[in-house]
Amino acid sequence: MTENERRTDTILLRRRIPQYVAAAAACMGGFSLGCGLGWSAPSVEILRTQLDDFAINLIASVFPIGAALGTLTVPLLFDRIGRKWTMMAMVPVFVGGWILLICAGTMVPFYVMGRLVTGACGGMCCVLAPMYSAEISEKQIRGTTGVFFQLLLVIGVLYVYCSGFTRSVVGISIFCCIAPIVFGVTLAFMPESPLYYLIKNKEEDAEKSMRFFRGPDFDIVPEMNAFKEQVERSKLERPGISAFMRKPVLKTLGVAYGLMFAQQLSGINAIIFYGFTILEATGVGLESQVELVIFGSVQVVACVAATLLIDKLGRKLLMAISLATMCVCLAALAGFFILKNYQPELADRMHWLPLTSVCVYILVFCLGAGPIPWAYMGEIFPTRLKGAASSSAAFFNWLLAFTVTMVFPSAAEVLDYSVVFAFFALMCALSLLFVIFFMVETKDKTFAEIEQAYGTLAQNQESNV
């Protein structure tokens, strides 16, 4: 790279800093969600000394139900009060949920209510943060800012794993309570999405917002015109059931649902929610809390790599690499448990395999299957249908997460870990085929070009005639 090219890249990076900062601020909601997801792994083992198994499984698995319910509220608010203020409104509720967990003691209803509330707020964040990030970002960096959500999420998971060394559910919950407060404070200083302002016919506010994100000397006219055309097209869309029954929209929904299926049926939430228990079951000598921190760190490293690669390699290739490698890791993990059952001496000599498999699995999940479905969802839906479509895909994701989390401990006990992990490996293999044949690449494409690729743009233009 020449000196001029380096200077140009530096100038470009400085100009885009407001976009990166605003996306990171919105994705602090992902950090808060990560705290909720990771809370179970250290807390479940502590609570086992105080509560029965049914209560433990209920407390661990109710979080995704709260998240699923939270996604349903997004279409009611995000076009009325905006992306930013919908996220801001959930902050005091988020804090209230953690206060319930801090005060729960041995009262199961408090734990269940706290997990439902924090789950609902986290579910809302997983729709709103990628949407906001996509709308404020230039197409050249939209993939990178889209991955911020998963990056902050896994940093949140690592943060709560580290808090597990307090050996106290109250201590862990207090640390988690800090996250939504930081989220609210940082987001308060960021502008609303310019696309939202245009939807509300506030062109002057939209221009101010765009100037903040693009810089005072940047020519915002082409991008503003593209947004205006997008908004005008969206006004001709009728967001009723019939709009979702058209073939191009069904195809787009099918891909979004397929990616959510791939993410959850890869078994990720089973490993995150029951990570401590799984690592204990391997019989490996390393302290399980330390192992949790190790693979929490791996998640962060992988997501940093994803932010650097997604706008270079594209969404589809990273997703395919991720699913293929996860399939191998899960098969290796299943093989280890078979050895543990039938040849324990050989399994003891391969004590490195479980942690290695889990770490590589987590690494490649965070490289593709973790961030890409959320980032992709913020890109592919038409403007008027975006809220309902994104929320329905997120709702589907969290229902799957609840099912996997609730069924996993019973299935592992009845069928053995080897069978469960072999099933997850099979799901990864099938999901890989789905990605290869049905996923459309969105790298370096404008929203209009993405809609055209899925056929929804042509559909909207036909409705104009």
Side-chain angles (χ1 to χ4, degrees), residues 123-147:
M124 293 175 71
C125 287
C126 73
V127 178
L128 290 161
M131 188 186 299
Y132 177 85
S133 299
E135 291 178 359
I136 67 170
S137 303
E138 295 170 65
K139 66 179 182 180
Q140 293 86 354
I141 62 167
R142 200 172 56 233
T144 299
T145 56
V147 173

Side-chain angles (χ1 to χ4, degrees), residues 144 147 302-313 318:
T144 299
V147 173
C303 274
V304 170
T307 61
L308 299 174
L309 293 173
I310 190 168
D311 281 318
K312 291 182 174 66
L313 299 182
L318 278 182

Side-chain angles (χ1 to χ4, degrees), residues 78-79 82-87 131-132 135 192 196 199:
F78 90 115
D79 267 344
R83 285 72 163 142
K84 172 186 171 178
W85 287 105
T86 303
M87 289 188 279
M131 188 186 299
Y132 177 85
E135 291 178 359
E192 179 56 87
Y196 168 74
I199 290 170

Side-chain angles (χ1 to χ4, degrees), residues 74-95:
V74 173
L76 305 176
L77 297 173
F78 90 115
D79 267 344
R80 287 182 171 84
I81 65 174
R83 285 72 163 142
K84 172 186 171 178
W85 287 105
T86 303
M87 289 188 279
M88 291 292 292
M90 74 176 70
V91 170
V93 183
F94 224 146
V95 172

Side-chain angles (χ1 to χ4, degrees), residues 157-180:
V157 171
L158 175 59
Y159 171 78
V160 75
Y161 284 172
C162 291
S163 73
F165 286 108
T166 63
R167 311 294 183 187
S168 164
V169 174
V170 172
I172 294 168
S173 301
I174 289 172
F175 276 107
C176 291
C177 190
I178 297 169

Side-chain angles (χ1 to χ4, degrees), residues 38-56:
W39 182 89
S40 291
S43 298
V44 157
E45 292 306 311
I46 298 169
L47 291 173
R48 284 194 192 282
T49 61
Q50 307 168 35
L51 304 172
D52 60 48
D53 286 345
F54 175 79
I56 293 294

